[in-house]
Amino acid sequence: DCVICCREVLHVGCFLPCGHCQWHQECISDWLARRSICPLCRTPAQLDEDKLPVHSEQNNCTTGIAEFLGEMNAILCNEVLHLQLRCEELQLEAAHLELGAQQLAAHKELLLDLEAQNLVERLAAAVERCGLRRQLFSALSREKAPLALEAAETVLGTFAHSRGASAGGAVLQRAAKLLDVNGSGWIEEVDFH
């Protein structure tokens, strides 16, 4: 408490040359304007505030806050740097996964193409063995009309199944396209010459 007004001291007033400072700045200024002595020890004191060092809880508090904020800023900067590095790591990992997915998709496409090619080669070998090369189109299309690729897929699926193999829809589509030599979208007699 302030030794002059007896209220709580939130901000310490100035130090006197004797070292005492248990008062408010305003209270000691008024006291020294009326009496030029320390209110505690009665040592002579002058009201020359420019020469008296000022010590206040506010200055200590401000210094403490500044130090705390400086420490927090350093911690936050370190945390931001850590997060930036982690973000870069995640971006690299995402790029790696994307590349892996692209390679997997390309590998899958290659496998489908190979399976389709294998199916067409097996069909061609079966036709050669049976001596049906010239009659193959007739066997595929009884009306001797161009055969839609979807219908050819059904025939190819039946052929694959009769040979104990199962071919997926993508393989059958690719095999039908391989039979469509001229790329018309239909399997025609000219595709077999």
Side-chain angles (χ1 to χ4, degrees):
D1 290 344
C2 177
V3 296
I4 300 170
C5 73
C6 298
R7 289 179 293 150
E8 184 180 5
V9 177
L10 297 175
H11 303 288
V12 177
C14 64
F15 283 98
L16 293 180
C18 60
H20 292 119
C21 66
Q22 295 90 358
W23 41 70
H24 300 106
Q25 181 70 38
E26 308 82 38
C27 292
I28 194 63
S29 294
D30 291 344
W31 176 273
L32 291 176
R34 288 183 265 130
R35 300 172 194 88
S36 294
I37 57 171
C38 172
L40 290 174
C41 67
R42 307 284 183 215
T43 302
Q46 297 177 2
L47 184 62
D48 188 1
E49 293 182 16
D50 293 338
K51 294 184 181 177
L52 294 176
V54 176
H55 175 76
S56 70
E57 288 178 6
Q58 184 176 8
N59 286 343
N60 285 343
C61 183
T62 302
T63 302
I65 289 172
E67 289 173 2
F68 174 75
L69 291 176
E71 291 172 10
M72 294 309 316
N73 187 39
I75 290 170
L76 289 174
C77 286
N78 188 30
E79 205 49 41
V80 165
L81 180 62
H82 176 72
L83 290 173
Q84 287 173 336
L85 290 174
R86 184 65 181 135
C87 184
E88 289 174 8
E89 288 172 0
L90 290 173
Q91 288 173 342
L92 286 173
E93 189 175 329
H96 178 73
L97 290 173
E98 178 66 27
L99 180 61
Q102 289 173 355
Q103 290 173 340
L104 186 61
H107 184 69
K108 181 181 175 185
E109 292 294 315
L110 180 62
L111 286 176
L112 290 173
D113 287 342
L114 289 173
E115 285 183 50
Q117 183 66 38
N118 187 12
L119 179 59
V120 170
E121 287 173 2
R122 287 193 337 245
L123 177 64
V127 166
E128 275 302 317
R129 278 193 311 270
C130 297
L132 297 175
R133 183 175 190 143
R134 298 200 184 272
Q135 294 85 16
L136 180 60
F137 179 72
S138 299
L140 289 175
S141 176
R142 295 205 168 122
E143 294 84 31
K144 295 195 177 192
L147 185 65
L149 292 182
E150 295 82 16
E153 291 171 28
T154 304
V155 172
L156 288 167
T158 303
F159 172 77
H161 184 68
S162 71
R163 298 288 185 244
S166 62
V171 172
L172 296 175
Q173 287 175 349
R174 289 166 191 253
K177 285 183 182 177
L178 287 173
L179 289 177
D180 181 17
V181 175
N182 66 0
S184 65
W186 295 87
I187 296 180
E188 305 161 288
E189 194 167 0
V190 20
D191 292 322
F192 294 94
H193 295 290

